[in-house]
Amino acid sequence: MKTILITGATSGFGLAIAKKFYALGYNLILTGRRKERFQDIAKSLKDLGEGEIHFLNFDVRDNTAVKTAIAEIPSALSSSLTILVNNAGLALGRSTIDAGEIEDWDGMIDTNVKGLLYVSKAVIPFLQQNGGGQIVNIASIAGKEVYPGGNVYCASKHAVDAISRAMRIDLLKDNIAVSNIAPGAADTEFSMVRFKGDAQTAKDVYKGYTPLFAEDIADAVEFVCNRPGHVNIDDLLIMPRAQANATIFKKEEN
């Protein structure tokens, strides 16, 4: 039985990906900061499959915690680990660059860029030892273009895009495929985090059109990871039908 490791798996894309792969017969290694959610997640997964579910509680921004947790993965799981999904990420605020909060900048860069690197650095040796595998980096339309108020978030996701392409080159020798998946507007906890708990503002982001949902991205990850051995999906941009680019939408009048 193969094993997949998913970061940021306590909600949104990460949880949907976990459900998809558990139902496909994979063991799960799920990471997250919110340990209080682990028990409910385990219950929600119970009837979907029969594999093992292993939780790791750490913040991807803490390299020491990342290394310690990854090193303690049971050998039965590490020896069957074939897929890493770097999903943990966030946006904070929509301020212009001159009004930006330093704490927000640090949070986005430390999570979206450095956290992805820390986890990848710790997990890649397992994929190498296991004869290869797949890394999927969850990026964003914000990694393809910039928009007003996006500044540092866009920069962090452009970095993910570049890191994905660099990984593809560097890990080719190890039979490790690398895919960059860039979603457009998706209705998850993303906007609640970005707007720091302002539920109405977060809700208004998706008003007047049908956005992507977490399950749509889970389907894409499954598709990417289960291509024939000679195929790699290097880069995949996924948008709601009502979204043409980062800022242009077809919205219905209320």
Side-chain angles (χ1 to χ4, degrees):
M1 186 177 288
K2 295 180 180 179
T3 300
I4 181 173
L5 190 154
I6 306 163
T7 66
T10 58
S11 65
F13 297 156
L15 182 54
I17 295 165
K19 290 178 177 179
K20 170 69 70 172
F21 277 81
Y22 196 59
L24 290 171
Y26 281 74
N27 296 316
L28 303 178
I29 302 172
L30 307 179
T31 88
R33 293 179 295 109
R34 295 173 288 192
K35 189 175 183 179
E36 69 276 6
R37 294 195 176 191
F38 289 175
Q39 186 173 0
D40 287 341
I41 290 170
K43 289 179 181 178
S44 73
L45 291 167
K46 181 178 63 175
D47 296 330
L48 298 178
E50 299 179 351
E52 185 172 345
I53 304 171
H54 185 74
F55 291 99
L56 299 176
N57 179 218
F58 62 80
D59 189 328
V60 297
R61 296 175 296 180
D62 184 340
N63 188 36
T64 299
V66 169
K67 291 191 293 185
T68 299
I70 298 299
E72 293 175 354
I73 294 173
S75 60
L77 294 178
S78 64
S79 63
S80 60
L81 181 56
T82 58
I83 302 173
L84 165 63
V85 180
N86 282 309
N87 168 69
L90 78 172
L92 294 169
R94 282 291 299 269
S95 299
T96 56
I97 196 78
D98 54 303
E101 299 286 341
I102 298 297
E103 294 81 5
D104 290 348
W105 296 353
D106 287 343
M108 289 184 281
I109 293 170
D110 289 348
T111 303
N112 300 348
V113 184
K114 294 166 67 178
L116 182 150
L117 291 170
Y118 294 159
V119 173
S120 298
K121 174 74 170 175
V123 172
I124 286 170
F126 293 129
L127 301 183
Q128 291 170 325
Q129 292 163 17
N130 295 339
Q134 179 92 36
I135 297 174
V136 178
N137 295 324
I138 304 298
S140 171
I141 179 63
K144 304 295 184 182
E145 54 186 282
V146 297
Y147 52 83
N151 47 73
V152 175
Y153 177 64
C154 291
S156 72
K157 288 300 187 178
H158 273 71
V160 172
D161 190 279
I163 290 167
S164 297
R165 285 183 276 124
M167 280 183 170
R168 178 84 166 96
I169 295 168
D170 291 346
L171 300 176
L172 187 64
K173 61 181 174 43
D174 299 307
N175 193 36
I176 297 174
V178 180
S179 299
N180 187 81
I181 294 183
D187 188 359
T188 65
E189 291 183 5
F190 176 86
S191 286
M192 278 289 284
V193 173
R194 179 168 223 170
F195 296 110
K196 303 177 182 179
D198 184 339
Q200 188 58 54
T201 300
K203 183 179 179 181
D204 287 346
V205 171
Y206 310 111
K207 191 174 181 179
Y209 70 100
T210 302
L212 298 173
F213 297 102
E215 293 75 16
D216 299 318
I217 304 308
D219 287 344
V221 174
E222 187 274 328
F223 175 81
V224 162
C225 291
N226 287 293
R227 295 303 84 214
H230 67 288
V231 175
N232 186 65
I233 308 297
D234 284 40
D235 194 25
L236 186 59
L237 176 63
I238 308 173
M239 306 283 273
R241 183 169 292 192
Q243 182 180 13
N245 63 19
T247 58
I248 297 176
F249 293 81
K250 180 181 184 296
K251 296 185 178 182
E252 301 297 331
E253 297 292 335
N254 291 331

